[in-house]
Amino acid sequence: MRNMNCLLKEISEALRLDNENNEKEAYKKYVDCIFAIVSNLMEAVKSQGGEVVVNHTIMKQVKLIQQCTDRVAELIKIIIPQLNQCSITDVTARGTAETTVCQTEKGQHGRFSAPVPELLPENNPHAVVVKSRSLTPMEMASKQNQSLMIAFKARMLRLNRSDFNAYNYSLAIQRKMMENIAIARAQEEELARKMQARNQRLEHEAAKRFASPSGMSEDEKKLKKIYKKILEYENEAVPLSEDLWPVYEDVKDIVGQRRKNNESFENSNPEQDEHAEGFMVESHLNARSLKKENIADDHTNVTSSNGNITNDNISLHSPTLFNIGSDNENSQKNSSSENEVKELGVFGCSQEHTENDVTKSSTDGQQQDLKRRDRIVSWERRQAKLLMKEVNKRCALKTCVNMEDDDDLDYLFEDDNEEATDIMYSSMSFIRTSPEIDSPLEEEKKIDKNQIPSRSVSHEIQSPSSLVHQDSGDLYQSLPYSGYKERVSEFEEAKKIAKLSHEACESHLKTICEDIHCYLEKLLVLMTIAYEPLDTPVGKDQCAVSLEEPFFKQLWKSLLLLFRVVNFRQEQVLACVMTKYQSATLSDLNVNKKLWLTSNLGQSMSSGKSYEKSAKPYEKVVTELKRVGDHYTMLSKLECIVKVCRLICECVDDHYGKSQQEGGKKAPSIGADDLVPILCYCVIQSATPQLASECEAMAEFIQEGYLMGEEGYCLTTLRTALSFVTSLFSEI
Amino acid sequence: MAASTGGGRNFNFKVVLLGEGCVGKTSLVLRYVENKFNDKHITTLQASFLNKKLNIGGKRVNLAVWDTAGQERFHALGPIYYRDSNGAILVYDITDEDSFQKVKSWVKELRRMLGTDVCLCIVGNKIDLEKSRNVTVQEAESYAASVGAKHFHTSAKMGRGIEELFLNLSKNMIEKAEENVGRGRPGNNRQSGVTVVDDDTQQTSGKSGCCG
């Protein structure tokens, strides 16, 4: 790896050679430099472990390589005539050959420059779009003419200028070129006619698909447009890279963007910022850096989805289109179709990301809801805001504020300011108030963070009242000022803040859940339009399942945090109960004696194994239960829960299977009467209070098909067990 | 999707099984499964959650039978069990007057939560113990009639009356579903499900032992 200084030296050397008109040497030197830079860039990527990290040096090198290749392309042009002069024989053949070389060189250059913006997606998302359509007849003709011209010039060099043949040649070549152009024009017209005819046909087809007697709604029109584009694509397997950009816009519109967003994604940065604040619940210690990461993530999402829809995704569609349909019938998964589905999902997901907060209210139907909701929550929010401001002002007066917290507070102030101006300018205040909701949220989050360690299983049990006390105490500690604790009135105030911010969080969560449902629904509609064979109940289920993974993968962490913030109290109570009952046995929970799974003393034959087992009955179940949090899609979580319930039965069977061989009794069947208490025991043993939030989220986003099935049953059972465990708190 | 799908050909029904601790709910389900599958040992959750496909007069019915924990201490969470259910089987022990009283309170709760859309079946179990009967046939049947529920006598031990019970309930639910479709009423909406009402559930905080 050559360092920058070395590189610059080499390049200046090349420049010197270039200036001395030593083209070939300069060419060599340039190529050498290009190679060096390329290997540098490769090295940089490798050293980052495959991650693309853009820094100043990389930027500089990219610029240099661009200049070098430009210069190389120029040099080639100069070198060619030189070559021609060297070998005058078979000039025409060589000439055309060199021309193609020249063209490919250019082509490479063109391709070269494409990946560069990829390194800086936030600067130029559009650059990912690679045009790969074939040439039009006109372009073909002009290309042909160019090569004719080159051949002609080469021949002219050989011939004496005064030669009569030269004149003839010139006439012939002009005629030939005119011909070419004329033919091309005719072809182009023909093509245009065909295109028009096809367009009409497609329009007709689309109209047939979305025919409705009572005219079309805005949404339906857009769906029709998309459908037409899909048909268009299916008709000719040419990527409609440019044409699809508007489609992407349309898709965005459908998903609920009222505001026509013609700006590039660069300009939507503030939205994303807002979104990051509104939706992501970061820990307060690294709130800022995290935020930045999130924004960057969003960017890559957006650009990658942009890339997807323009090249990969759409160009993949047609071949796999019917695979999905048939797969579906065979209820098998084809990996390629899945991939595709994922891409589509990613695309939807990033949309969700960018538009979540901003477009909350865009669809007309939602608007009324929103206004209603707005009215309900606005009072509390206003109160909360006022209180927050007061608190902030006060803590600004305190001197014991450290830098970090100061930062954080600044940022809270910013939010408030932003909000104030927004209220002035916008009547749809709710969209913008999400940052405001988040300032208390952020506070709460701090509490959460602070509490998590103390919530661990080993901490002491408090009476309900002392719990409340500690809770509020923590609130103060988490706020960046200490002398606060003494004043009782402020204590009351803080309590109020906590209450109000909790309410704000709740309503925030509710809106977000509604949004997610709404977006999932819309993505589903889009999918069924793109793949008609999927427009069956089974197909829709399949779609929903495929959507889940890419959709929730990105959201899950933040979503869970929000749920946890809202369910904070329950989790706290659960933690207390879990701690208290950690040593509780199955008998303490009134589990049927048959299911204690303790080996009889008489059966000491296999004492080693069964002793271990009796030491911790249902241990497998507990381990599995702890794993619920590792999954990030609803479906895999549900599967995990089903496995938990089944494992209970298995544990019993295993136990009795063993004793049966030794002449014991047959395994009892586990009805709900036994299942729930055992599950309670396992929940306590698992010592994971966040199960409560996980279950809440699952219950919110479980698909209806599963709600009725075993998955729904197991989830309900687990929730019952959880709330029973929670209810034990009153007995402590 | 919750109530029924399609134009009346395919039905998905959710049935909750309610009853106090030792009335034999689980045995009832087990007996129902075993009759069909010839005493194959049950390793899955089937004792608590049963999915059964039936064909009734050319109509395909998918029954999801949800067993619930009968112990008093789990009652507070009843509503999340029976939300969106199409049918409920309320089991009491004919030798146990208390279990019948419990059934009455469940009927009240179900009617309040689910309205008249839910098909109720009141089942007097353990008729093999006829001698020590404590709930009279007349009392049970007149009560069932008064709340618009069917009444059955079963014996899980002897496998009596169980097929009949499930078949009858399924037919009832089909009727109700078709009636609803005919009236153009949409199936239960997921979001419009049950909200927990506090007035009755307060009493359940007291802890009571169970038979086990």
Side-chain angles (χ1 to χ4, degrees), chain A residues 98-116:
Chain A
E98 295 295 340
T99 325
T100 44
V101 167
C102 179
Q103 274 164 2
T104 46
E105 198 76 37
K106 262 187 181 167
Q108 267 166 7
H109 165 70
R111 234 174 293 147
F112 239 150
S113 61
V116 175

Side-chain angles (χ1 to χ4, degrees), chain B residues 76-89:
Chain B
L77 258 282
I80 68 164
Y81 268 108
Y82 47 71
R83 71 185 274 182
D84 289 348
S85 43
N86 309 90
I89 298 173

Side-chain angles (χ1 to χ4, degrees), chain A residues 475-614:
Chain A
L475 178 75
Y476 293 124
Q477 278 162 20
S478 68
L479 292 174
Y481 34 87
S482 44
Y484 217 82
K485 241 179 232 170
E486 291 108 47
R487 283 180 254 171
V488 184
S489 65
E490 280 161 17
F491 177 87
E492 289 294 316
E493 204 169 72
K495 242 165 121 182
K496 226 187 237 149
I497 294 172
K499 189 173 160 267
L500 289 172
S501 61
H502 183 253
E503 276 164 7
C505 283
E506 263 179 358
S507 69
H508 192 50
L509 178 64
K510 214 178 129 203
T511 337
I512 282 170
C513 287
E514 276 169 21
D515 284 347
I516 289 175
H517 280 304
C518 169
Y519 289 131
L520 273 175
E521 182 66 26
K522 275 172 177 164
L523 280 171
L524 206 62
V525 169
L526 279 185
M527 269 180 100
T528 47
I529 283 175
Y531 313 110
E532 272 175 272
L534 289 180
D535 207 359
T536 60
V538 186
K540 273 186 182 161
D541 275 359
Q542 192 83 14
C543 286
V545 170
S546 319
L547 275 177
E548 229 182 38
E549 154 114 17
F551 193 90
F552 281 108
K553 193 174 184 174
Q554 322 262 336
L555 285 181
W556 178 246
K557 265 193 185 150
S558 339
L559 200 57
L560 179 67
L561 269 177
L562 193 54
F563 269 100
R564 291 195 69 180
V565 167
V566 173
N567 283 341
F568 172 61
R569 185 48 56 84
Q570 197 199 344
E571 280 191 23
Q572 203 175 31
V573 168
L574 257 178
C576 288
V577 176
M578 281 172 178
T579 316
K580 167 84 178 173
Y581 281 83
Q582 200 49 220
S583 54
T585 58
L586 284 157
S587 64
D588 294 335
L589 288 159
N590 288 328
V591 175
N592 193 325
K593 198 175 177 186
K594 280 189 284 185
L595 300 170
W596 289 358
L597 307 194
T598 46
S599 55
N600 285 330
L601 289 170
Q603 298 170 338
S604 51
M605 312 271 281
S606 57
S607 58
K609 265 191 176 176
S610 58
Y611 180 75
E612 268 174 44
K613 199 152 200 165
S614 64

